[in-house]
Amino acid sequence: MKILLPPSETKRSGGDGAPLDLGALALPGLGAKRHEVIDALVDLAGDEEHARKVLKLSPKQAGDVAHNRMLRSAATMPAVDRYTGVLYDALDAGSLIPASRRWLGAHVWIHSAPLGPVGALDPIPPYRLAAGISLPGLPALRRHWADATTEAIAGEDPDFVLDLRSEAYVALGPVPDAVASCYVRVVTEHGRALNHFNKKSKGLLVRALAEDRPRIRSLRTLETWAGGRGLVLRRTDEPGVAELVVAE
């Protein structure tokens, strides 16, 4: 099984890892696409005012432009530790035992806008780029990434993909039709969609999977595991879509 997670707008700064090595990231077939986005971001960061306009940043967020300027030289840390926010606070990867962290590294991809999906333990620098941004000299990120990412996922030939991304990041690389997958929405018992608890519940779900480290190769085995954990995962009328049901 592979799990696709969205990134977070908020990130930890710093790190003690070596500078970004694009060749060492998961899905190496995306290397050329990654170079193009990194080059565009670094070039854009040379003009701070223009960069803030393109990236839709306030003057108080000017430091994020500096992060982009140093993408190739900044210190790195594992992607799952770099991201903060509701989902990643709930996942709390830093408190997991080593075996569970290794499981994250083997089974979780985090879908970043500048790098595409990266492994949970892949070392990355801080950056600022959202899925809906169009960078000078490149097509919209959806056009830049979608086909290449879908092809790269297919090349990994996963048994099953659990897609926990937001719709904006699904658009940057849909799971191939030929790959068994499940897109999960978080809802109440009455079917009401949630926002804050959507992210928290997904983080807790991935943490539980990392703690148990089950062998999941289909939606059926995922449902069986979830039931044993006291989680309610129900199929919908939409093919490939399930709902994680949480209390209001």
Side-chain angles (χ1 to χ4, degrees):
M1 176 178 70
K2 293 291 186 181
I3 301 170
L4 278 163
L5 287 179
S8 173
E9 181 178 293
T10 56
K11 304 168 188 70
R12 290 184 179 88
S13 59
D16 57 9
L20 180 64
D21 180 359
L22 295 179
L25 301 179
L27 301 172
L30 296 175
K33 294 290 187 181
R34 288 166 170 158
H35 276 290
E36 290 172 356
V37 179
I38 295 298
D39 286 346
L41 273 176
V42 172
D43 289 346
L44 176 64
D47 183 336
E48 182 178 304
E49 183 177 355
H50 183 48
R52 285 198 293 105
K53 290 180 180 178
V54 171
L55 300 174
K56 301 179 182 178
L57 304 178
S58 70
K60 293 182 179 180
Q61 296 171 309
D64 288 338
V65 177
H67 286 319
N68 287 351
R69 189 180 304 118
M70 299 176 65
L71 275 169
R72 294 192 181 278
S73 59
T76 60
M77 69 173 65
V80 75
D81 300 321
R82 175 69 71 191
Y83 295 106
T84 61
V86 176
L87 190 155
Y88 291 92
D89 289 348
L91 172 54
D92 193 16
S95 69
L96 290 170
I97 64 173
S100 293
R101 284 183 63 89
R102 289 193 296 271
W103 189 92
L104 290 177
H107 294 276
V108 173
W109 291 324
I110 302 174
H111 198 152
S112 78
L115 300 169
V118 299
L121 300 184
D122 285 355
I124 64 171
Y127 68 87
R128 184 60 176 253
L129 182 66
I133 299 297
S134 294
L135 293 172
L138 289 180
L141 289 179
R142 179 173 181 172
R143 290 172 53 202
H144 179 83
W145 281 119
D147 290 345
T149 301
T150 298
E151 182 178 344
I153 293 172
E156 294 292 312
D157 194 26
D159 293 320
F160 176 70
V161 174
L162 177 61
D163 195 345
L164 302 179
R165 295 174 294 174
S166 61
E167 292 183 3
Y169 281 90
V170 171
L172 298 189
V175 177
D177 291 339
V179 173
S181 66
C182 177
Y183 179 80
V184 172
R185 299 192 187 107
V186 179
V187 300
T188 67
E189 295 176 358
H190 303 293
R192 183 170 68 86
L194 298 170
N195 186 12
H196 173 88
F197 286 104
N198 167 59
K199 296 176 181 179
K200 181 178 180 179
S201 298
K202 288 178 178 179
L204 292 174
L205 173 63
V206 177
R207 182 178 178 88
L209 284 163
E211 290 172 340
D212 291 359
R213 303 184 293 283
R215 294 178 64 85
I216 292 175
R217 296 179 176 174
S218 67
L219 178 55
R220 178 173 296 177
T221 53
L222 177 64
E223 289 173 317
T224 300
W225 168 82
R229 258 282 185 162
L231 302 172
V232 179
L233 189 68
R234 65 188 183 197
R235 303 191 190 205
T236 70
D237 293 335
E238 300 175 66
V241 177
E243 294 175 338
L244 179 62
V245 183
V246 299
E248 294 192 59

